[in-house]
Amino acid sequence: MSETPFSVSENAAKRIAFLAAKEAKPVMMRVAVLGGGCSGFQYNFSFEERRNDDDLVIERNGAAVLVDSTSLELLKGSELDYVEEMVGSSFQVKNPNATSSCGCGNSFSV
């Protein structure tokens, strides 16, 4: 069996499906890695109506997540999770490739 390049937790899938249901048109969540942030790279989350030809599509519990091929290189083996804590709730990427990350958890380096 090959390693899953990117996965979505049950909590993240439920939250994405909930948020997507509030949109006027069907949408998918895009997870992308952009240059910048405190540590060199940053995670970006957005909703999109269309997928690109090079996108990996992960579907779980009624939710669809897109990851472009460039971002996937930095996200291999990662998991998208949705965490609810007393101080707030957020989507978080558990990335085994990150050698360090900033305090907010939205940027990382490899």
Side-chain angles (χ1 to χ4, degrees):
M1 274 174 81
S2 63
E3 176 184 320
T4 303
F6 188 79
S7 61
V8 178
S9 74
E10 186 174 341
N11 281 344
K14 285 179 183 177
R15 186 63 180 173
I16 292 165
F18 172 79
L19 294 171
K22 294 182 171 287
E23 297 294 318
K25 296 180 180 180
V27 293
M28 299 165 276
M29 177 178 262
R30 175 170 300 283
V31 178
V33 175
L34 305 174
C38 311
S39 299
F41 295 103
Q42 62 186 351
Y43 301 112
N44 184 285
F45 306 105
S46 62
F47 280 107
E48 297 189 8
E49 294 177 25
R50 295 191 183 114
R51 64 175 284 205
N52 298 326
D53 291 338
D54 71 334
D55 285 338
L56 169 69
V57 181
I58 302 106
E59 295 180 323
R60 182 170 185 182
N61 298 346
V65 176
L66 308 172
V67 182
D68 65 89
S69 60
T70 303
S71 296
L72 189 58
E73 289 300 313
L74 296 166
L75 292 171
K76 278 191 177 164
S78 297
E79 179 184 53
L80 176 65
D81 196 12
Y82 183 73
V83 179
E84 295 180 83
E85 300 171 332
M86 286 182 57
V87 294
S89 54
S90 64
F91 287 102
Q92 296 179 2
V93 176
K94 297 176 181 175
N95 188 342
N97 306 304
T99 56
S100 66
S101 63
C102 69
C104 69
N106 286 331
S107 69
F108 67 100
S109 62
V110 290

